[in-house]
Amino acid sequence: MITPPKSSHIPRATIQRLATYVQVLENFVRDNVEVISSNPLAEACGVNGSQVRKDLAYLGEFGIRGVGYQVKSLIAAITSSLGVDREWRMALIGVGNLGKALLNHGEFRARGFNIVAIFDCDPFKIGEIVHGLEVHCTRDLKDIVSEQGIEIGIITTPPERAQRAAQHLMDAGITSILNYAPARIKVPERIHVEYVDFFHYLYSLAFNHQQPR
Amino acid sequence: MITPPKSSHIPRATIQRLATYVQVLENFVRDNVEVISSNPLAEACGVNGSQVRKDLAYLGEFGIRGVGYQVKSLIAAITSSLGVDREWRMALIGVGNLGKALLNHGEFRARGFNIVAIFDCDPFKIGEIVHGLEVHCTRDLKDIVSEQGIEIGIITTPPERAQRAAQHLMDAGITSILNYAPARIKVPERIHVEYVDFFHYLYSLAFNHQQPR
DNA sequence: TGCTGTGAAGTGCTTCACAGCG
DNA sequence: CGCTGTGAAGCACTTCACAGCA
């Protein structure tokens, strides 16, 4: 039986793993696996079986005791709980190399995360068409955000302009920010910022590589 | 006085924060800040002051009591402890859109993480020159890895080919893998894999956005 | 005096172990 | 009988509080 979510607090670590479960479950769908129990799923994700069961239990009861979980309906349950089973409209600030690379990365769109407006403060870039979108002046952000129903802002500016970009986004009422700029930004408590830094991973690899163990 | 590292175990969480400290400290250098104490550094990184002091203490004693830390020498101390103050030679497998985007992303090279050889299993791509590098057949990986002194492998294949790419890397003696493919890979204990998934961040944003609080 | 470095206390996540159900 | 869902125990990281040094 499928029961609705427990109202309790979901740990941040769980949210991150749920994203992994979806990724792995989608690969199981591709291999025509219909039912999976917690232990093999856990192994495929590199975590403990209890962990998987506890994580899923936060969202409700989707398992069948003695059997396991239906792969497809589990994906649906997780994506629905996370709120990623719908379209999210996003604005991108900073149309440099990185910004262009993200625009070309079709996966975002395929998952319902659509970049629908792009901005830059460089007058030479404004008006240019990149990947089918016109580059707007950052000053017009507020109007376009409300016109277009944008809920997430992506910062791909150089580090020294990241704070100003964040300010523009907040002024436009955006509370969810994905920051690719290599700088921390100061925001009030209620604003949610996720930092993407390619070097964190490389630093981990380098550190572990040189460790003698 | 600067003392050498404590030999004790460094938590994984600390390693991740150290990368953040470097990023923030570099921005302080840009602003000509020469000395910083733990609390302002902590605030800029969004963590607790004790946390910063404890993290830094894992590496040794670089602080001056009553004063703080020298920004430049602190950066040097952290990067040296992490092992990121030298060149790292890397191989990339999977020369598709994502692979090409990484090759064009100059920051890797600027930090000493050099992609020095690229591979693909598509015969149409082999021999092509991308960003100044010839695309090699994945079968030649082992020879090129030892010739070129490559220590890190980057996987940018589609998910269904990620496991095979990982196998090729391991056969070539690589123990550090950065996986951009949306799939988990099975590896022995001693292999270190870091997973890069753009959607983890978006999933977090989406989840928090829809939460009522 | 001010800030670092660190034992001790606190917190939250992970794992265990098993009751409960299909 | 097997696997889920979950209280309890265990563990690791975080924060506190203050001794110790410049």
Side-chain angles (χ1 to χ4, degrees), chain B residues 34-133:
Chain B
E34 294 191 353
V35 176
I36 188 147
S37 55
S38 59
N39 279 316
L41 174 56
E43 206 207 347
C45 297
V47 301
N48 179 294
S50 305
Q51 185 84 82
V52 169
R53 294 197 295 279
K54 189 147 273 188
D55 286 340
L56 296 180
Y58 281 116
L59 311 181
E61 303 194 6
F62 328 113
I64 305 162
R65 288 165 198 241
V67 180
Y69 304 88
Q70 294 283 340
V71 175
K72 281 190 180 163
S73 69
L74 184 54
I75 292 175
I78 297 175
T79 54
S80 151
S81 300
L82 289 177
V84 295
D85 58 347
R86 65 156 171 110
E87 193 200 14
W88 287 86
R89 297 170 72 79
M90 314 194 289
L92 180 146
I93 306 187
V95 188
N97 282 332
L98 180 57
K100 285 177 184 167
L102 292 184
L103 286 165
N104 280 311
H105 189 51
E107 278 296 301
F108 281 122
R109 177 152 311 219
R111 300 241 166 199
F113 289 94
N114 289 351
I115 298 172
V116 297
I118 60 180
F119 299 85
D120 206 293
C121 63
D122 177 350
F124 289 100
K125 285 185 185 158
I126 293 167
E128 200 184 320
I129 304 291
V130 178
H131 207 75
L133 295 170

Side-chain angles (χ1 to χ4, degrees), chain A:
Chain A
M1 207 239 288
I2 298 185
T3 65
K6 308 272 181 296
S7 60
S8 61
H9 166 255
I10 301 183
R12 189 188 159 76
T14 292
I15 302 298
Q16 305 223 5
R17 279 192 300 273
L18 288 171
T20 303
Y21 300 158
V22 171
Q23 188 184 85
V24 168
L25 288 167
E26 282 173 348
N27 284 311
F28 278 122
V29 167
R30 207 168 303 152
D31 299 343
N32 298 311
V33 177
E34 295 191 354
V35 177
I36 188 146
S37 54
S38 59
N39 279 316
L41 174 56
E43 206 207 346
C45 297
V47 300
N48 179 293
S50 306
Q51 185 82 83
V52 169
R53 294 197 295 279
K54 188 147 273 188
D55 286 341
L56 297 179
Y58 281 116
L59 311 180
E61 304 194 7
F62 324 114
I64 305 162
R65 288 165 199 241
V67 179
Y69 304 88
Q70 293 284 340
V71 175
K72 280 189 181 165
S73 69
L74 185 54
I75 292 174
I78 297 175
T79 53
S80 151
S81 300
L82 289 177
V84 295
D85 58 346
R86 66 156 170 109
E87 193 201 13
W88 287 86
R89 297 169 72 78
M90 315 194 289
L92 181 145
I93 305 188
V95 189
N97 282 334
L98 180 57
K100 286 177 184 167
L102 291 184
L103 285 164
N104 280 311
H105 188 51
E107 278 296 300
F108 281 122
R109 176 150 312 218
R111 300 242 166 196
F113 289 93
N114 289 351
I115 298 172
V116 297
I118 60 180
F119 299 86
D120 207 295
C121 62
D122 177 350
F124 289 100
K125 285 185 184 158
I126 293 166
E128 201 185 318
I129 304 291
V130 178
H131 207 73
L133 294 170
E134 186 187 338
V135 179
H136 293 287
C137 175
T138 315
R139 221 173 305 124
D140 302 332
L141 192 80
K142 189 167 187 172
D143 291 340
I144 295 174
V145 160
S146 49
E147 271 168 33
Q148 295 264 0
I150 290 168
E151 295 169 297
I152 295 177
I154 303 179
I155 299 177
T156 47
T157 63
E160 61 274 17
R161 257 172 282 163
Q163 182 66 51
R164 208 190 317 166
Q167 198 55 55
H168 279 294
L169 288 168
M170 292 187 286
D171 290 347
I174 297 285
T175 57
S176 296
I177 298 176
L178 187 58
N179 181 22
Y180 283 85
R184 297 272 134 174
I185 53 186
K186 275 212 182 74
V187 297
E189 190 81 353
R190 65 196 176 77
I191 306 290
H192 188 115
V193 183
E194 292 282 333
Y195 293 90
V196 183
D197 179 1
F198 299 124
F199 292 101
H200 278 54
Y201 303 104
L202 286 170
Y203 280 22
S204 270
L205 284 180
F207 176 75
N208 281 280
H209 195 101
Q210 62 156 20
Q211 284 299 92
R213 288 213 213 201

